[in-house]
């Protein structure tokens, strides 16, 4: 056996070992990212549930039962109960146009909260509502950051070619309006887009 053939075999073995190690490393990292995304989704769901719960109490304080249909308290009560209801769990994760059904419900609640005159609320409830809204903003950003990192790794050629993601479903961003305090305590819904990762080279 010539030295050239031995050298070639060594190179081939080294390449195979390097690719195997790289695949194992990326597979493990991808698994951790999927776990991180799942945990972030649970945190997001909890923060949304808390916001809905506080919104229901706000509607009750505004006397929603006595308010007429189409009034601010009635619209808030309807949106809050829809967001917090168990029926929301039965909605499809993605609709035909790519928008998550839960996003539609939560955006309706954001719009309803944006019409509330918060000066009518007592300081404790007003503070609790603001805290719940801030928690939703933070949880959504944590979730979307986890999704972005997961999609970035899943877009790598090696991961796609060898299907290192296995049967794990492709995670999706969660986009809802954020309530941002404006002048004189007003609230306006603002949608903050999340940049999608570009297709990496490796």
């Amino acid at each position: 056996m010539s030295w050239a053939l031995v050298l070639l075999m060594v190179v081939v073995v080294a390449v195979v070992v390097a690719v195997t190690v790289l695949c194992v490393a990326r597979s493990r990292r991808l698994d951790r990212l999927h776990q991180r995304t799942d945990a972030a989704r649970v945190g997001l769901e909890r923060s949304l549930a808390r916001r809905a719960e506080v919104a229901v109490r706000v509607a009750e304080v505004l006397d929603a039962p006595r308010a007429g249909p189409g009034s601010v308290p009635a619209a808030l009560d309807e949106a809050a109960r829809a967001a917090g209801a168990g029926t929301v769990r039965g909605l499809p994760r993605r609709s035909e146009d790519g928008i998550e059904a839960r996003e539609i419900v939560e955006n309706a609640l954001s719009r309803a909260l944006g019409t509330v005159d918060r000066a009518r609320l007592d300081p404790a409830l007003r503070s609790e509502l603001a805290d719940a809204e801030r928690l939703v903003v933070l949880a959504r950003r944590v979730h979307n950051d986890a999704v972005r990192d997961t999609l970035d790794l899943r877009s790598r050629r090696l991961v796609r070619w060898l299907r290192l993601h296995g049967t794990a479903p492709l995670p999706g961003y969660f986009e809802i309006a954020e309530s941002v305090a404006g002048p004189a305590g007003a609230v306006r819904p603002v949608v903050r887009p999340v940049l999608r990762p570009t297709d990496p080279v490796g």
Side-chain angles (χ1 to χ4, degrees):
M1 183 179 294
S2 66
W3 285 105
L5 183 57
V6 172
L7 181 60
L8 178 60
M9 293 177 61
V10 170
V11 171
V12 170
V13 171
V15 170
V16 170
V17 170
V19 171
T20 301
V21 171
L22 181 61
C23 287
V24 171
R26 290 201 171 177
S27 180
R28 289 179 177 175
R29 180 165 178 258
L30 189 58
D31 182 60
R32 290 194 298 270
L33 284 174
H34 278 292
Q35 292 179 16
R36 174 186 160 198
T37 301
D38 291 342
R41 178 72 190 207
V42 171
L44 176 61
E45 292 283 354
R46 288 176 178 171
S47 67
L48 292 171
R50 183 191 173 196
R51 184 180 73 155
E53 178 184 349
V54 176
V56 168
R57 286 195 278 119
V58 170
E60 291 173 350
V61 168
L62 297 177
D63 205 9
R66 295 185 180 181
S71 64
V72 169
L76 175 61
D77 184 67
E78 181 181 358
R81 293 185 186 280
T87 55
V88 173
R89 300 183 187 129
L91 294 174
R93 176 59 67 89
R94 292 277 159 186
S95 60
E96 292 181 359
D97 57 0
I99 300 177
E100 186 170 338
R102 184 65 183 270
E103 293 176 1
I104 298 174
V105 176
E106 296 297 341
N107 271 316
L109 178 55
S110 292
R111 288 192 297 271
L113 286 170
T115 63
V116 172
D117 181 6
R118 305 195 178 201
R120 297 176 57 188
L121 306 177
D122 65 80
L125 184 57
R126 186 165 60 241
S127 176
E128 187 176 1
L129 177 59
D131 288 343
E133 289 177 324
R134 281 193 292 268
L135 184 61
V136 168
V137 171
L138 178 61
R140 187 185 73 86
R141 291 177 180 175
V142 169
H143 173 269
N144 285 351
D145 284 347
V147 171
R148 181 199 61 218
D149 293 343
T150 303
L151 294 179
D152 177 58
L153 185 57
R154 286 186 62 148
S155 67
R156 303 294 177 93
R157 291 193 183 119
L158 185 63
V159 175
R160 287 187 284 112
W161 289 346
L162 300 181
R163 298 186 60 82
L164 298 180
H165 52 78
T167 58
L170 191 69
Y173 292 99
F174 191 85
E175 299 293 4
I176 61 172
E178 295 179 3
S179 296
V180 180
V187 175
R188 57 188 179 89
V190 177
V191 176
R192 301 184 186 278
V194 176
L195 297 179
R196 269 54 172 177
T198 56
D199 190 10
V201 175

